[in-house]
Amino acid sequence: MKRLAGLRPVPADWYYRGVLTARSGAAGHLQLRYLGTAGFVLSDARRTVVLDPYLSRPGAMRSLAARLIPDTALIRRVIPHADEVLIGHAHHDHILDAPDLCLQTGARLIGSRSTMMVGHAAGLPDRQLRETAGNEDIACGDWSVHGLPSRHGRLMGRIPFPGDITAPPPWPPRMRHLRHGLVLNWIVRTGGLTVAHIDSADFINEQLDGHRCDVLCLCAIGRKARPHYVRDAVQRLRPRWVVPCHWDTMLTPLHAEPDQIPGVDLPGFMEEIRQAGAEPLLTPMLGDLYFPCQY
């Protein structure tokens, strides 16, 4: 059935297999863990920042026809600790699990007004909510984060579930309740390295100008949705490494074999990254990369 729908598994030999920096837990390194979809955990000995966590991943029928219920036990197992949770936009595959993660860990939820409405709906107290319209530095311990206003990419010519969430939605929500709201790209400054996160298939060139990063987490769908997507992102942010994200279908269980979103060409995406002057690092689901804090 998956093959009839055009879904293809990712061949194992596409994944990055070199030793990038260090063994797990080594001091002086930034750990990046890929959660699937647009999700990442960034951590060092001082701080843990989570971006767009989406672990529950209900199947297609439940996503379309039922209320979406976070898998609390799975969230606890995979992300036992967090200090901040950053949301790029409020679609279900970016925000559904974030309030539950914050309730479990005490982390702050940081994002747009729509993100705050979702946090209120899920029962987060005000002290764990930090709204931003972007273009401001937000201190996160010794780290800081900076949201860059952006826009959501078009899929098959349309933006899915556009608009803002202006009041707390029903909780648990249905997919249609979670409109994207303000879209934010994130710049995360860890003290040693800077990580940029682009979680959708479009961005605003001028918002990226003047910013630089060492590691760029880049949405693979964008290569098909927007002309010069890879070139523009890499030339403006000048990363040394690019980690593809949002290439898997988001519908398979977290620990199952992932499938590529139809139309995503990972080899072509990685080749474009190389041609733009950066090194692509395709990471398995729940795979870890370790970057030296100084290089």
Side-chain angles (χ1 to χ4, degrees):
M1 180 62 73
K2 291 199 297 183
R3 301 300 173 263
L4 291 175
L7 305 183
R8 295 175 295 128
V10 178
D13 60 357
W14 288 1
Y15 290 127
Y16 182 82
R17 295 195 176 278
V19 178
L20 182 59
T21 58
R23 292 182 180 178
S24 174
H29 289 80
L30 178 72
Q31 178 182 357
L32 180 150
R33 171 167 290 182
Y34 181 47
L35 302 175
T37 313
F40 291 90
V41 178
L42 303 177
S43 60
D44 64 9
R46 303 165 296 159
R47 206 86 192 156
T48 298
V49 169
V50 181
L51 297 122
D52 285 6
Y54 183 58
L55 308 177
S56 300
R57 301 166 70 95
M61 291 304 296
R62 178 173 293 181
S63 295
L64 292 170
R67 293 190 181 276
L68 305 177
I69 300 174
D71 187 334
T72 297
L74 177 63
I75 296 166
R76 182 179 295 111
R77 287 198 304 273
V78 176
I79 314 176
H81 175 74
D83 295 299
E84 281 85 25
V85 179
L86 311 182
I87 299 301
H89 65 276
H91 279 159
H92 78 287
D93 55 319
H94 297 255
I95 202 172
L96 177 68
D97 290 346
D100 193 271
L101 175 60
C102 292
L103 286 168
Q104 291 187 36
T105 63
R108 283 191 300 173
L109 183 67
I110 304 178
S112 69
R113 172 66 58 87
S114 294
T115 292
M116 299 300 99
M117 292 298 103
V118 173
H120 284 301
L124 280 175
D126 288 344
R127 68 178 181 276
Q128 287 181 251
L129 297 172
R130 175 57 160 89
E131 181 180 345
T132 181
N135 291 321
E136 63 169 330
D137 291 328
I138 300 173
C140 300
D142 293 335
W143 295 17
S144 69
V145 301
H146 187 104
L148 304 176
S150 186
R151 53 182 167 235
H152 196 282
R154 293 180 177 273
L155 304 178
M156 295 181 288
R158 300 180 62 183
I159 297 176
F161 302 113
D164 295 319
I165 304 172
T166 58
W171 200 263
R174 294 183 183 272
M175 188 188 298
R176 69 176 183 272
H177 295 139
L178 299 179
R179 299 182 176 276
H180 63 59
L182 173 66
V183 180
L184 293 166
N185 300 324
W186 291 103
I187 302 291
V188 181
R189 301 184 181 96
T190 71
L193 290 173
T194 298
V195 179
H197 181 257
I198 297 178
D199 77 343
S200 188
D202 204 351
F203 51 81
I204 299 170
N205 286 348
E206 293 75 17
Q207 288 290 339
L208 302 188
D209 290 341
H211 295 277
R212 299 289 181 267
C213 68
D214 303 294
V215 182
L216 170 60
C217 304
L218 188 61
C219 172
I221 309 169
R223 180 172 179 260
K224 183 176 182 180
R226 169 195 161 126
H228 311 303
Y229 178 83
V230 174
R231 184 198 68 187
D232 288 349
V234 172
Q235 287 185 353
R236 282 171 163 77
L237 293 171
R238 300 182 186 176
R240 179 173 177 180
W241 300 287
V242 177
V243 182
C245 65
H246 223 329
W247 49 261
D248 62 283
T249 65
M250 81 187 77
L251 298 173
T252 53
L254 181 67
H255 293 94
E257 177 189 50
D259 293 296
Q260 295 176 79
I261 294 173
V264 168
D265 172 15
L266 279 173
F269 189 59
M270 291 188 289
E271 181 57 31
E272 267 197 59
I273 292 167
R274 293 187 189 96
Q275 290 176 2
E279 180 180 1
L281 302 174
L282 182 62
T283 309
M285 304 284 282
L286 301 182
D288 293 325
L289 294 170
Y290 293 86
F291 299 89
C293 288
Q294 302 290 339
Y295 64 88

